[in-house]
Amino acid sequence: MATLRAPRGTRDLLPDERALFAHLMRTGADLATRYGYQQIETPMFEQAAVFERGIGEVTDVVEKELFRIAPRTEESESWALRPEPTAGMVRAYVQHGMQTWPQPVKLTMTGPMFRYDRPQAGRYRQFWQFDVEAIGDPGPAVDAEIIELGLRFYRDAGVAGVEVLVNSIGDPECRPAYTQALTEYYRRHAAALPPTERDRLERNVLRLLDSKDPAMAELNETAPRITEHLCDACAAHFEAVKAHLTAVGVPFRVESALVRGLDYYTRTAFEFYVAGREGQQQALGGGGRYDGLVQLLGGRPTPGIGFGLGLDRVALVLAEQGSVASRETGPLAVVVGADPHDTVTRLRIATELRTAGLRVRADLGRRKLGRQLEAAGREGAHFAVILGDELSAGQVQVRDLLAGTQRIVAADDLARELARAEASHRHG
Ligand code: HAM
């Protein structure tokens, strides 16, 4: 029989890494709460139009990377797995009339995203994002607040040396003149363009700037910069974002070639990198303002801004930086027994301790006591509760595996004693 494996570009998060992910998700959720964001959950698949319209038809994410779902029946709807959360969250904002809520509506979500990308380190077909969106605030202060929040996430997660790159990519007022200049520039170099990019030149020229094709790097280096074409309103907005960033002590670098890979962006765009590792493949996270997206998805004109931070890349960088993954701690106690066959009593005592709220494993195998104790030590348990002859007198032995001491405890007092020992250990 053929060996069964996880699909290419996906991976299993084994317990150690899953514990790190849980820690990252908690860090993100706690931070977002502190900044006034509320949790939301949207489906992992949407009508494909949510992404086609929201992210843009002529983007890598939609054109090449969308996981489309083939319906099992003749349904008229066409669905796709979400490649990112923003479009779905904005769809939910419109669908549930959130424009009537106090503005801005600040939402956060963390979960798996799906892109049919060419898999490599840090680029997966299923990956996790921590996302925040502030919908209904035109900025510029909230732009800086969100960037500061992103940076704080990396700091709290323990990633060293994260740098913020910021840019303004204009709005419908000034972008047409810029895209015209850009189109003329690439037309002059049409012969050097790879086929996909030549095809995109007339359809969505901005996407040439964030092309992953190495052949484009040199051409993009000398392409016209949006920052030289900003209208007065966009330029003033960008200056104000920078002033707010400075006021909250966020160091940043203006990167005028930064345009992001999704069509919905206007004005502020930003990305997070480990310093010295810039390059499209390595962004730890990114985001920006999308003042046209709500309207594009059927709502009233409403500004918005947010970010998505890639948790898989954070995990990779933490490993590279030699940061120890936060392992879940072992059980407080393991219930072991001198009689290899008496699993009934072990299970009963363990159940009572769990009912009392304690973290307890029961050794339910038929192995000898020595083996049971060895296993308890290996998994980092603090105590072994040893069931033996004393049980007939209503007592058990409690061995402190860390201190190497042992004493007799009345079975009725066991839960209280263990809870007290754990509390003094935690605070001591
Ligand atoms: P994005 O730049 O496409 O933006 O993705 C955000 C982050 O997700 C990236 O910086 C990266 O860390 C991670 N990421 C993207 N693709 C992959 C992949 N194939 N494998 C692993 N990690 C990946 C967005 O998705 C926007 N929704 C961000 C946003 C929110 N803008 C406004 N609000």
Side-chain angles (χ1 to χ4, degrees), residues 84 86 115 122 124 127 129 133 260 264-265 283-285 306 308 310:
E84 57 101 52
T86 313
R115 294 185 193 179
Y124 306 109
F127 58 96
Q129 273 189 16
E133 310 291 347
R260 312 270 305 128
Y264 51 60
Y265 290 113
L284 282 184

Side-chain angles (χ1 to χ4, degrees), residues 87-100:
M89 286 160 83
V90 169
R91 190 267 311 137
Y93 176 92
V94 174
Q95 180 178 337
H96 302 285
M98 292 188 212
Q99 68 273 11
T100 64

Side-chain angles (χ1 to χ4, degrees), residues 144 238-248 252:
F238 192 32
E239 286 311 310
V241 171
K242 290 187 277 185
H244 282 84
L245 284 173
T246 305
V248 288
F252 60 88

Side-chain angles (χ1 to χ4, degrees), residues 142-165:
V142 70
D143 304 35
E145 184 185 49
I146 278 197
I147 293 171
E148 194 271 334
L149 166 57
L151 205 57
R152 190 183 295 274
F153 170 78
Y154 294 114
R155 205 178 57 208
D156 287 4
V159 186
V162 176
E163 193 179 35
V164 189
L165 270 48

Side-chain angles (χ1 to χ4, degrees), residues 302-353:
T302 310
I305 181 164
F307 66 54
L309 313 185
L311 299 187
D312 306 77
R313 293 189 188 170
V314 169
L316 271 178
V317 169
L318 283 174
E320 279 172 25
Q321 293 182 346
S323 165
V324 271
S326 68
R327 278 192 65 156
E328 289 296 340
T329 43
L332 170 68
V334 178
V335 180
V336 298
D339 176 356
H341 298 287
D342 185 8
T343 50
V344 168
T345 315
R346 275 179 257 159
L347 182 58
R348 181 174 58 75
I349 300 274
T351 305
E352 285 167 12
L353 295 174

